[in-house]
Amino acid sequence: GAVVSQHPSWVICKSGTSVKIECRSLDFQATTMFWYRQFPKQSLMLMATSNEGSKATYEQGVEKDKFLINHASLTLSTLTVTSAHPEDSSFYICSASKTSPSYEQYFGPGTRLTVT
Amino acid sequence: KQEVTQIPAALSVPEGENLVLNCSFTDSAIYNLQWFRQDPGKGLTSLLLIQSSQREQTSGRLNASLDKSSGRSTLYIAASQPGDSATYLCAMYTGGFKTIFGAGTRLFVKA
């Protein structure tokens, strides 16, 4: 168990458009989901933490109006990149956490976004 | 500032060799530490999770240790294989739903 999916796995969009990425926990309920971005040959940087039914908590330097996060249910969180620009091109990874004591995170396969 | 450092940044070994990857962290109030594997262009695969109350975890040819007092964790890979070639990331969770990743060690196992 503990499978997390992301959709789409890759997307190419034009500058100025918006892109939505979905993150789903397939076989468990996730009270908390996390969004990371990863630039080539760099590590993951936490963008925001979202709890079901409440507003996301963004890390310092992450524009909340640009990266809209909605955690609508215990199995779905979405990240919308609004008015995308080429510098937003990156690998976006989500993870989900159960309410168990370990707080272990289960990661999705990632979404590669390319903005042209 | 909470930081996770991984040494070495890259490592190339011949097949069959035993190897150790190092991870150091600055916050002794660590809740757990997790080792991941990432293949190029792919997401993360969880390898081992060590709770703060544990000293080590083992899975197959992998063994991870945790020493909170010294702020160190090691991932030991026995009898390395070409299929082990990947980037290995360690991440510490300090509570408050904050996970901090190291930059990773890129491992290449030569056949």
Side-chain angles (χ1 to χ4, degrees), chain A residues 5-109:
Chain A
S5 69
Q6 278 185 244
H7 177 80
S9 56
W10 61 272
V11 58
I12 301 173
C13 71
K14 292 186 177 181
S15 186
T17 62
S18 295
V19 174
K20 179 184 285 187
I21 302 170
E22 291 186 349
C23 176
R24 293 181 184 273
S25 57
L26 299 184
D27 52 2
F28 67 99
Q29 292 186 328
T31 56
T32 305
M33 288 185 169
F34 307 84
W35 287 96
Y36 298 84
R37 68 186 297 181
Q38 184 181 33
F39 292 107
K41 296 186 178 181
Q42 294 187 27
S43 192
L44 280 73
M45 297 297 295
L46 180 65
M47 299 176 63
T49 302
S50 73
N51 292 294
E52 185 263 340
S54 61
K55 291 183 178 180
T57 301
Y58 291 81
E59 294 300 302
Q60 189 173 8
V62 178
E63 301 176 60
K64 58 183 178 182
D65 293 331
K66 181 169 186 61
F67 299 99
L68 302 179
I69 292 173
N70 182 25
H71 194 156
S73 74
L74 287 173
T75 59
L76 174 64
S77 177
T78 60
L79 168 67
T80 301
V81 183
T82 62
S83 186
H85 292 285
E87 57 265 31
D88 298 325
S89 299
S90 187
F91 193 52
Y92 292 86
I93 302 177
C94 74
S95 70
S97 179
K98 297 180 181 179
T99 57
S100 62
S102 70
Y103 295 110
E104 181 174 2
Q105 293 183 43
Y106 303 94
F107 284 80

Side-chain angles (χ1 to χ4, degrees), chain B residues 96-111:
Chain B
F97 292 110
K98 178 83 72 173
T99 298
I100 300 172
F101 281 83
T105 293
R106 289 185 292 280
L107 173 65
F108 179 63
V109 181
K110 299 172 287 187

Side-chain angles (χ1 to χ4, degrees), chain B residues 47-95:
Chain B
L47 299 174
L48 290 165
L49 170 73
I50 311 176
Q51 304 281 4
S52 63
S53 59
Q54 299 173 324
R55 297 282 295 182
E56 65 178 338
Q57 283 287 331
T58 298
S59 176
R61 295 182 292 110
L62 305 179
N63 175 276
S65 67
L66 175 64
D67 185 342
K68 289 198 303 178
S69 61
S70 65
R72 293 181 60 189
S73 176
T74 60
L75 178 66
Y76 175 83
I77 303 176
S80 59
Q81 302 170 358
D84 294 331
S85 298
T87 296
Y88 290 81
L89 298 165
C90 74
M92 72 169 181
Y93 173 70
T94 59

